[in-house]
Amino acid sequence: MSRPIRRTLLASAVASLAVMTLAGCSLAADASSSSDSSANSTVYFGVSAAETGQYAQYGEQFKQAFDLAVEQVNANGGIDGHPVALKYEDSQSDPKQSVTVAQKFVADPDVILVFGDYSSAASIPASPIYTSGKLLQYGFNNSNADFTEKGTDYQWSSSTTTADEYVWEADYIKDQGVDSIGVTYLNTSDWGIPAYDAFKAEADKIGLKITDAEAVDPTSDDYRPSLTKAVAGDPEAFAHLGYGPDSAKLVTQLRAIGYTGTFYGGQDEQSFDETPDAEGSVIPAQFVASNPDEAVQAFVTAFQAKYPDDKDVTSFEAGAYDALNIAVAAAKAGGTTRAGILKGFQEIKDVPSVVYGSVTFDPQTRRILNPQFTPTILKDGTWVTLDK
């Protein structure tokens, strides 16, 4: 926990208080891990996510999926008779806020696991707090490899890494017969720059020429200067290594300056709603709502029944839905305490998943074993799979 720096005699007093507070948090964590909850008591998971701010869209998508999954779990008996409930805290997906949220969850002995945060940039600074509180931090959306590689046994993720995704994308683009590509990427150290580094390394390896690469601000409303530079070399195709909202703006402006090549990019399908210029865009996906798989269609049907105003069911909702069910499986396997659910994550295998089919973690990396991507294209306003 961070504490303001005091001067002279107050410094030692505050320092002592901070140590006592940390000890208290640790004791609370240990107490919550010592035995299973009493019969039929509620099992609480925390959610650190953006309810307001720049990434509130994703926080809402996560909440919808979490709430649906909780309803289904409780309708089927909960966790061995224990109902499940969620405690939400608004982190704004901001590193400072996520640390404060982590402190609050660690101090709450009822919470046995925390989902989040949306971005690795917000999750990683909070990780030491969760580790010190022996509280599992399930960064199910965190693709930055550092989240788990530099984390501890208390950091787990069912997201593929940034390198996984963009090595695959470079290979796929080359396999389509493309020899040259213009690139933009988010100028963010936690995600955009590592994404570009992985993409460029693979492109260099396989002979995919990057005619120009431009770093862009994810909050910008005008990408045209960067786009003009990126297409000046007349690349055969164009890739944006970014999120959904910036991709939707960027592809519209890319078409406005006259570029007609295939656009690869954007993570969130829903962000392309009402974006006619995105037609024909291609993204790597792990979840496609049109997948005829019985489990996928059951999820999509249930989601749309609960939220009839939502046109699309995306990988963000699917990932959160999976995460809740994976956490429940771990609690069933290991117990409804902080120590128990950690044990469960280390042991669960072949958990049903609408994203992956089934989930088994590598206990060393604390990530999914052998994740796969599916190329999808926006066709007539709907995302459908492409033949590899």
Side-chain angles (χ1 to χ4, degrees):
M1 297 181 181
S2 62
R3 290 287 186 270
I5 298 175
R6 305 296 190 192
R7 294 183 179 181
T8 63
L9 295 177
L10 287 178
S12 59
V14 171
S16 298
L17 178 61
V19 171
M20 292 171 64
T21 302
L22 276 171
C25 289
S26 179
L27 288 172
D30 289 343
S32 70
S33 301
S34 61
S35 62
D36 285 346
S37 304
S38 59
N40 301 319
S41 61
T42 300
V43 175
Y44 289 99
F45 298 138
V47 181
S48 175
E51 296 177 4
T52 60
Q54 179 182 354
Y55 300 116
Q57 166 189 330
Y58 299 107
E60 177 61 21
Q61 289 174 272
F62 294 156
K63 186 177 189 303
Q64 288 178 323
F66 283 143
D67 290 351
L68 171 62
V70 167
E71 285 184 10
Q72 293 179 343
V73 167
N74 287 339
N76 287 291
I79 300 174
D80 300 329
H82 298 282
V84 175
L86 299 171
K87 294 189 178 187
Y88 287 93
E89 291 291 338
D90 183 11
S91 68
Q92 298 183 341
S93 201
D94 175 86
K96 293 180 181 178
Q97 295 291 342
S98 68
V99 168
T100 300
V101 167
Q103 291 169 340
K104 185 170 184 178
F105 279 137
V106 164
D108 184 345
D110 289 335
V111 175
I112 67 167
L113 170 147
V114 173
F115 297 106
D117 210 280
Y118 160 69
S119 72
S120 301
S123 293
I124 291 172
S127 293
I129 306 298
Y130 289 113
T131 295
S132 69
K134 300 180 180 180
L135 178 57
L136 195 148
Q137 182 188 21
Y138 188 6
F140 66 95
N141 195 60
N142 295 162
S143 57
N144 189 326
D146 284 350
F147 174 70
T148 46
E149 287 181 2
K150 295 185 178 180
T152 68
D153 288 345
Y154 293 93
Q155 280 73 51
W156 294 71
S157 180
S158 46
S159 171
T160 55
T161 67
T162 305
D164 289 337
E165 181 171 347
Y166 289 104
V167 166
W168 181 95
E169 184 166 300
D171 288 340
Y172 178 77
I173 292 170
K174 181 66 174 179
D175 286 346
Q176 304 316 297
V178 175
D179 292 321
S180 63
I181 192 159
V183 177
T184 51
Y185 60 95
L186 297 186
N187 192 21
T188 55
S189 60
D190 72 301
W191 191 87
I193 295 172
Y196 175 66
D197 289 344
F199 184 90
K200 183 179 185 303
E202 186 67 7
D204 289 346
K205 177 181 175 181
I206 62 178
L208 175 62
K209 180 182 179 182
I210 298 175
T211 59
D212 186 64
E214 299 290 327
V216 299
D217 180 351
T219 64
S220 175
D221 288 322
D222 186 2
Y223 297 112
R224 286 172 296 182
S226 295
L227 292 172
T228 299
K229 293 179 183 178
V231 301
D234 194 26
E236 296 174 45
F238 191 93
H240 175 55
L241 315 185
Y243 300 139
D246 42 284
S247 294
K249 290 185 289 186
L250 190 143
V251 69
T252 298
Q253 294 172 21
L254 184 67
R255 300 312 185 200
I257 66 171
Y259 185 78
T260 59
T262 301
F263 178 77
Y264 295 88
Q267 291 188 313
D268 180 15
E269 300 95 321
Q270 190 169 319
S271 295
F272 289 100
D273 287 352
E274 312 303 327
T275 309
D277 288 319
E279 184 75 8
S281 297
V282 178
I283 63 173
Q286 291 171 321
F287 173 83
V288 184
S290 59
N291 185 334
D293 178 81
E294 182 177 346
V296 171
Q297 288 310 304
F299 162 62
V300 171
T301 299
F303 189 92
Q304 292 180 329
K306 185 173 177 62
Y307 307 107
D309 293 335
D310 277 5
K311 177 182 176 182
D312 299 315
V313 184
T314 75
S315 58
F316 285 95
E317 289 94 350
Y321 180 83
D322 263 1
L324 192 288
N325 285 296
I326 290 167
V328 166
K332 286 182 177 180
T336 55
T337 63
R338 293 185 182 183
I341 201 165
L342 175 63
K343 180 174 182 289
F345 265 81
Q346 294 166 339
E347 295 177 351
I348 54 175
K349 294 181 179 179
D350 299 324
V351 178
S353 161
V354 297
V355 176
Y356 299 101
S358 67
V359 162
T360 298
F361 285 99
D362 181 333
Q364 301 302 314
T365 65
R366 303 181 304 286
R367 287 192 183 263
I368 301 295
L369 282 171
N370 303 318
Q372 299 296 316
F373 295 94
T374 300
T376 61
I377 185 170
L378 186 61
K379 186 176 182 180
D380 298 326
T382 301
W383 290 93
V384 295
T385 58
L386 275 168
D387 293 334
K388 295 183 182 182

